[in-house]
Amino acid sequence: MEAVRRVNSTARAAGIVTVVLAALLGSAYVLGRSLVPDQTRPHATGVTTDATGPHYADQPPEQPSSEHPSTSQSAAGPAEAGQDGTGRDAGGDKLFGAHTDTGTARLALTFDDGPDPRYTPQVLAMLREYDVKATFCVVGENAQDHPDLIQAIVADGHTLCNHSWHHDVSLGNRSADQIRTDLVRTNQAIRAAVPDVPIVWYRQPGGAWTYPVVSVSRQLGMTPLHWSVDPSDWQAPGANKIASTVLTQAQPGAVVLMHDAGGDRQGTVDALRRILPELSARYELEALPTDPT
Ligand SMILES: [Zn+2]
């Protein structure tokens, strides 16, 4: 009898230990995921990243055009470019007609790779403080994980932009069906948070445009969106460098690329304290329209 009771109590203790361990492991996993979401995810896309580099980044060498931003690309018009379908080899145009400017004198700030619970709320608060509307190019899996942040972005009057499901910089090299599935899945994740929200912009991760990805995004009612000002904030060069690059390169119609996710973005958040008041004084800042023609 005593032996049985001892066994039972040992078994019960073991059971409790197991439950506690499972709970601890579970919360550690959740915590880890929320702290370093990018590192905990598989790089199914074959994107090369080094140990210190960010996972998500719209950066060279994937998009060498960012080193030489050219607003002349948009002059050809989105419909004309890339129609030969020769992909990346099409002349010098690596953008396939993706927009690099707003088409007006207004300037657009864009924030990529989120939403991220660490930085997106800070960016939203800053934008609210300076009464600035912007555009958020969100990653589908992050939208799925943080529907509350998608709702917050929309509630504040900002524009949403599809940035693919898993930030696949090679997406443009996949089949049209695969591209369509990826973009549709992303839009569905966004609309699971905000039903019927307009999603009329698509930004290819890495700026690695191809004719198929431009074509499919257009078929889905989205206009391909590139950029003209890139402070390379994904490299975390510091708030001063980010701010000075943006403020130096800004011009009427500019589309500014920044990131609210994909790594340590405190530099970007801090840079906004300088960028927002100065740019607001010089330009009209806009959320990209949700009914582009
Ligand atoms: Zn990106």
Side-chain angles (χ1 to χ4, degrees), residues 56-58 112-113 137 139 163 167 203-206 257 259:
Y56 297 150
D58 302 292
D112 283 20
D113 300 358
C137 294
V139 172
H163 198 35
H167 206 274
R203 177 172 278 162
Q204 167 60 28
L257 170 67
H259 296 81

